[in-house]
Amino acid sequence: MSSGQGSISPTDLDQAKVLLARVAAVFDQRVVGQEPLRTALVSSLICGGHILLESVPGLAKTTAAETLAAAVGGSFHRIQCTPDLMPNDIVGTQIYNYGTGSFTTQLGPVHANLVLLDEINRSSAKTQSAMLEAMQERQTSIGGVEYPLPDPFMVLATQNPIEEEGTYVLPEAQMDRFLMKEVLTYPAANYEVEILERISSGRQSAPITVQPISLDDVRFLQRLVDDVYVDASIKRYIVDVINTSRFSGPRPIQGLSTHIRVGASPRGSIALMRVAQALAIQAGRSFVIPDDVKAVRYSVLRHRLVRTFDALANNVQPEQLIDAIFDAVPTP
């Protein structure tokens, strides 16, 4: 396939539909509702990116991450982040063997296809920097030797917006490395009733019956995403949106600088295009439309806009600013 040319055959699209339906079936067996969450997780996976999940406790962040791992036949490790967690606990370490007088390398839990970092904001800055190398470089360094991470590799991090005591705020550089940030909300009443029904009947803990997709299937879906066609007008639209967040663009927004201190970086442009391509594949298309870009705007940009003190004090939400930016940019 030639990258980005949209030369995806109907057969490939049909195969992608079957594979994605199997992933959806696993989710339906474990997670009630939360369709935007499933879309975000699958999009991050087939884009080859990482995702940050945020919500108050009890909204199935960990369950959703474990369900995605169950839907993919790869290795999965969970790391519970705590203030005393050290980089070696994540990437691995060298162990001295007194019998042979030599060191052996023991790889850490980050060496897996899917890694769940539970409550990432409870780990120290030193530990977060070790994860930064793993997420960006797709490798770890142990004793001066570089060890590549498995392919595919995806980090699913969770954080709790309350209980700030004993937490370390993620720096902007690390936040920018996450392809998407999904904020979970409370389930609707009918979904919560369904959760209780599943638990009381035992269905929630029943073994998953759907056959997971293989790592080769994931790589196939990632290649399809690479080949989704993005027209020049769509690319220009994405760039105009990002530039508007930096107080320029075709129609600069008066007074935006009072709410935004730093706009989105070029990594935001790339993320908008990549996730829109993933959304097109999930919709059965080989090309991106403007609605794909609009549909992912919150997940891609909410953690890339650095708000001013005034915006924080007045509780101006990132989603409000994102809507204002998209309203100002003409749709192609």
Side-chain angles (χ1 to χ4, degrees):
M1 290 184 290
S2 55
S3 179
Q5 297 303 311
S7 56
I8 302 175
S9 67
T11 304
D12 286 342
L13 285 177
D14 289 340
Q15 184 180 351
K17 183 178 180 180
V18 171
L19 295 174
L20 293 170
R22 279 163 57 186
V23 174
V26 174
F27 261 87
D28 289 342
Q29 197 168 343
R30 280 286 184 269
V31 181
V32 180
Q34 301 286 14
E35 190 172 331
L37 172 62
R38 184 185 73 197
T39 302
L41 288 172
V42 172
S43 298
S44 293
L45 176 66
I46 64 179
C47 282
H50 314 293
I51 187 168
L52 179 63
L53 308 176
E54 180 179 284
S55 78
V56 297
L59 295 191
K61 298 186 297 298
T62 303
T63 300
E66 291 173 341
T67 302
L68 180 66
V72 178
S75 54
F76 171 70
H77 288 154
R78 174 184 174 180
I79 302 171
Q80 183 65 48
C81 295
T82 56
D84 60 349
L85 189 74
M86 298 299 292
N88 288 348
D89 297 327
I90 290 179
V91 302
T93 187
Q94 288 186 314
I95 300 174
Y96 183 72
N97 188 322
Y98 287 96
T100 62
S102 60
F103 285 92
T104 57
T105 299
Q106 180 176 331
L107 298 179
V110 75
H111 288 266
N113 295 113
L114 286 92
V115 178
L116 170 61
L117 287 173
D118 225 346
E119 294 191 284
I120 186 175
N121 56 333
R122 293 201 178 277
S123 60
S124 66
K126 181 181 289 188
T127 304
Q128 290 178 15
S129 68
M131 279 308 305
L132 189 63
E133 180 191 14
M135 292 166 60
Q136 185 67 22
E137 308 298 334
R138 307 295 172 117
Q139 66 181 27
T140 59
S141 300
I142 306 172
V145 180
E146 295 176 352
Y147 295 89
L149 292 168
D151 178 39
F153 171 69
M154 178 181 176
V155 170
L156 305 96
T158 70
Q159 71 175 12
N160 187 341
I162 61 175
E163 295 178 350
E164 296 293 333
E165 194 173 329
T167 63
Y168 301 82
V169 178
L170 290 178
E172 276 78 11
Q174 178 127 5
M175 291 285 280
D176 207 27
R177 258 70 176 187
F178 285 102
L179 182 74
M180 306 175 74
K181 177 185 176 183
E182 190 68 18
V183 177
L184 283 67
T185 57
Y186 287 112
N190 58 319
Y191 287 139
E192 202 156 353
V193 170
E194 173 65 16
I195 293 171
L196 299 182
E197 290 284 356
R198 289 189 181 194
I199 291 175
S200 62
S201 65
R203 285 185 294 144
Q204 188 65 23
S205 56
I208 292 176
T209 55
V210 182
Q211 180 71 22
I213 66 175
S214 68
L215 295 181
D216 285 337
D217 292 332
V218 174
R219 286 188 279 266
F220 165 75
L221 291 170
Q222 289 177 345
R223 289 194 299 271
L224 285 190
V225 171
D226 290 340
D227 199 42
V228 170
Y229 175 70
V230 185
D231 191 75
S233 62
I234 301 288
K235 293 175 182 175
R236 186 70 215 184
Y237 176 55
I238 291 172
V239 171
D240 287 344
V241 164
I242 297 300
N243 274 312
T244 302
S245 77
R246 303 176 196 151
F247 323 122
S248 58
R251 295 179 184 174
I253 302 175
Q254 293 292 328
L256 187 64
S257 59
T258 61
H259 298 302
I260 296 178
R261 182 159 52 91
V262 180
S265 71
R267 196 179 278 120
S269 302
I270 297 169
L272 270 179
M273 183 181 74
R274 293 287 294 164
V275 181
Q277 287 175 299
L279 219 60
I281 287 293
Q282 292 174 74
R285 283 183 276 103
S286 61
F287 55 90
V288 171
I289 60 175
D291 284 347
D292 293 330
V293 180
K294 292 178 180 179
V296 302
R297 63 191 187 276
Y298 298 146
S299 299
V300 171
L301 295 179
R302 61 162 52 105
H303 59 298
R304 291 187 161 93
L305 302 181
V306 181
R307 287 174 291 168
T308 62
F309 176 78
D310 285 345
L312 293 170
N314 293 319
N315 198 27
V316 178
Q317 297 301 311
E319 291 80 6
Q320 294 175 250
L321 301 173
I322 293 168
D323 282 338
I325 290 168
F326 270 80
D327 288 344
V329 178
T331 303

